[in-house]
Amino acid sequence: MNEENNELLAALDAQPDVKVGDVVTGEVLAIDDARQVVVGIDGAGVEGVIPARELTSDRDADVNDLVKVGDQIEAVVKMPITSEKEGYSWILSKRQLEARRAWEEIANKYHEGDIVEAPVTQVVKGGLVVDVAGVRGFIPASMIENRFVQDLNQYKGETVKAEIIEINAAESRLILSRKAVLNSERSEALKRIFEELTVGDVVEGKVARMTNFGAFIDLGGVDGLVHVSEISYERVSQPSDVLSVGETVKVKVLGLDPEKERISLSIKATQPGPWESAAENAPEGTVLEGTVKRVVDFGAFVEVFPGVEGLVHVSQISHEHVDNPSDVLKAGDKVQVKVLDVNPDRQRLSLSIKALTEAPARENNDNGDHERRNGNNNNNNRRNNNGGRKNNRRDSTPMNYSTSEEEGNATLGDLFNLKDFD
């Protein structure tokens, strides 16, 4: 009996000592209702359990789909547990073992400054959580873009290219920067873009982002600005009213400034100008409805087509005298106008409001005309009477009259109006 006890004690002493952090293997003995896997640790004579959370990161996964009774499984010893029901045992973790090996692989494979592609697994307050070959990495919010980003949720589920700026396997610390990659790519793209583009070129790009003053267009790693005034010939209050992020647009290069790394673009310059069809759509005599855009001392500018404004001169506003156009018109007024003249080459359009209204009748107009006619008759009679007296004097005192061309070849009959003597 003593010999048997001695053999049992010797066998127990020969079994390996299980410690936290050890990597062990064992056979799956059971899968219980508590969603944990019971494992008999090889050569230790003890059991360990792997909770579902230590088996996979997928909370919805079914443990029975991942392991079967009788499978051999490898895990790391995480911590001891004591239970009156189950006795002395260990908590094991398959996930922790996979993470440890992934860290070892990363430490051997990557170094600070290396570029990796990593899917974004989580968006947190301070930045993005990414997966780098099974290792949890972190991109701080300040290192995501080379500009401020309001909403980080747009990156969730995306795969981003980032540079490793800190790697520490012992502390499980992996910090990356997407901004560093973008800056490097932008420098190369800037060099290429400024070598390829010239002012006047028409190219395609995608709307990258928008502000109140315009839209930034991605030309292939470099953004150019379309000012809000260059989006359309029509007035645009907000770029987002007519454009959307990701939309492909044609743009014309208006300016290039390599020193300031600025590119000025225009969308409307790629579209037919409104003045090109102005002569066809608004020939002389056409009646149009327009909107008063602004009022100046000498008249009012009225928009009759998007991007086409004509001038209603102060003299063409009303049949009555207008001292100040602002007394009659204001910006935003809808008015009917008649086209007086159109010159597309000079982008000038002359309009009239009063041409569409009837001139008011003048008071006592007939009486005045009658008085003027009577006055003219009286004047003629006086001239005739005076003429008779002059003719009498001419009979007594003959005068010499020239009939030269300097006097218009007049005859004596013309000068004396001989019919008066009939």
Side-chain angles (χ1 to χ4, degrees):
M1 185 69 178
N2 291 332
E3 291 181 0
E4 291 180 357
N5 290 337
N6 291 336
E7 289 177 358
L8 180 59
L9 291 173
L12 292 173
D13 292 339
Q15 290 180 355
D17 185 20
V18 178
K19 301 184 297 297
V20 173
D22 286 350
V23 177
V24 297
T25 58
E27 181 182 348
V28 176
L29 302 178
I31 302 173
D32 64 20
D33 295 338
R35 283 173 51 90
Q36 62 183 16
V37 180
V38 180
V39 178
I41 300 174
D42 293 345
V46 295
E47 296 177 355
V49 293
I50 306 176
R53 68 178 181 276
E54 297 295 340
L55 186 66
T56 177
S57 59
D58 186 356
R59 296 181 179 181
D60 298 324
D62 188 342
V63 174
N64 294 282
D65 295 334
L66 302 176
V67 295
K68 305 294 182 184
V69 173
D71 288 350
Q72 287 290 316
I73 194 167
E74 194 172 21
V76 65
V77 178
K78 189 171 183 179
M79 61 187 298
I81 59 173
T82 301
S83 171
E84 294 179 357
K85 181 180 178 180
E86 299 179 0
Y88 190 79
S89 189
W90 301 90
I91 294 292
L92 308 179
S93 175
K94 185 172 182 291
R95 287 182 61 193
Q96 187 171 318
L97 176 62
E98 292 173 346
R100 178 189 293 184
R101 288 179 173 170
W103 270 107
E104 293 173 354
E105 181 182 352
I106 283 184
N108 293 329
K109 183 178 181 180
Y110 298 111
H111 302 86
E112 292 181 4
D114 289 347
I115 307 297
V116 297
E117 290 189 357
V120 178
T121 59
Q122 190 179 1
V123 176
V124 295
K125 185 176 182 180
L128 305 176
V129 177
V130 296
D131 184 291
V132 182
V135 171
R136 185 179 187 273
F138 183 66
I139 304 177
S142 61
M143 298 182 184
I144 295 174
E145 290 278 359
N146 45 22
R147 55 181 175 82
F148 174 73
V149 180
Q150 183 71 33
D151 185 12
L152 300 183
N153 288 303
Q154 59 182 298
Y155 299 100
K156 190 173 183 179
E158 298 289 326
T159 296
V160 298
K161 187 183 290 186
E163 178 183 333
I164 297 175
I165 61 174
E166 183 180 348
I167 181 170
N168 189 327
E171 297 182 5
S172 299
R173 182 178 176 85
L174 179 62
I175 306 298
L176 304 98
S177 173
R178 183 171 179 265
K179 180 178 179 179
V181 175
L182 294 177
N183 286 339
S184 177
E185 291 178 346
R186 185 173 185 274
S187 296
E188 295 177 2
L190 276 171
K191 182 180 179 182
R192 173 179 54 82
I193 288 292
F194 280 109
E195 287 177 352
E196 295 177 354
L197 288 184
T198 57
V199 173
D201 287 349
V202 176
V203 296
E204 282 192 349
K206 287 189 176 181
V207 179
R209 63 188 190 280
M210 288 177 281
T211 64
N212 292 334
F213 56 83
F216 287 91
I217 311 299
D218 183 0
L219 302 178
V222 176
D223 290 349
L225 174 64
V226 176
H227 190 266
V228 64
S229 63
E230 291 295 332
I231 292 177
S232 173
Y233 286 104
E234 299 183 35
R235 186 178 181 276
V236 176
S237 299
Q238 291 287 338
S240 57
D241 293 341
V242 293
L243 298 173
S244 57
V245 174
E247 180 182 353
T248 299
V249 293
K250 282 188 177 181
V251 292
K252 184 175 183 178
V253 180
L254 300 182
L256 296 167
D257 190 339
E259 293 184 2
K260 295 183 179 179
E261 299 181 350
R262 291 179 181 174
I263 302 174
S264 300
L265 306 171
S266 173
I267 294 176
K268 77 177 185 181
T270 66
Q271 303 167 348
W275 284 98
E276 294 179 15
S277 57
E280 180 181 350
N281 295 333
E284 183 179 337
T286 304
V287 177
L288 303 167
E289 182 180 76
T291 303
V292 177
K293 305 303 287 186
R294 59 190 187 280
V295 180
V296 293
D297 292 340
F298 53 85
F301 287 92
V302 178
E303 184 180 58
V304 292
F305 301 117
V308 175
E309 292 183 8
L311 174 65
V312 178
H313 190 266
V314 62
S315 62
Q316 292 296 326
I317 293 177
S318 172
H319 288 286
E320 299 179 0
H321 178 71
V322 175
D323 288 324
N324 193 337
S326 60
D327 294 338
V328 183
L329 300 170
K330 63 180 183 296
D333 286 350
K334 297 289 185 180
V335 293
Q336 294 285 326
V337 293
K338 183 176 182 179
V339 178
L340 301 182
D341 183 62
V342 57
N343 190 330
D345 294 335
R346 300 180 65 187
Q347 295 189 1
R348 290 187 178 180
L349 188 64
S350 297
L351 306 172
S352 175
I353 294 176
K354 80 173 186 180
L356 299 177
T357 61
E358 185 177 353
R362 296 183 181 276
E363 296 182 0
N364 301 323
N365 192 47
D366 293 338
N367 293 335
D369 290 342
H370 178 71
E371 292 176 357
R372 282 193 295 274
R373 284 194 298 270
N374 289 338
N376 290 336
N377 290 335
N378 292 333
N379 290 335
N380 288 335
N381 291 335
R382 285 193 294 271
R383 282 195 296 270
N384 288 338
N385 292 334
N386 292 336
R389 289 192 295 273
K390 289 179 181 178
N391 287 340
N392 292 334
R393 286 195 297 271
R394 288 189 187 100
D395 289 341
S396 60
T397 311
M399 298 179 66
N400 293 327
Y401 294 90
S402 172
T403 59
S404 66
E405 294 180 358
E406 285 79 1
E407 296 295 335
N409 294 326
T411 64
L412 292 176
D414 294 330
L415 293 174
F416 287 101
N417 196 4
L418 295 181
K419 65 181 180 179
D420 291 338
F421 295 92
D422 291 341

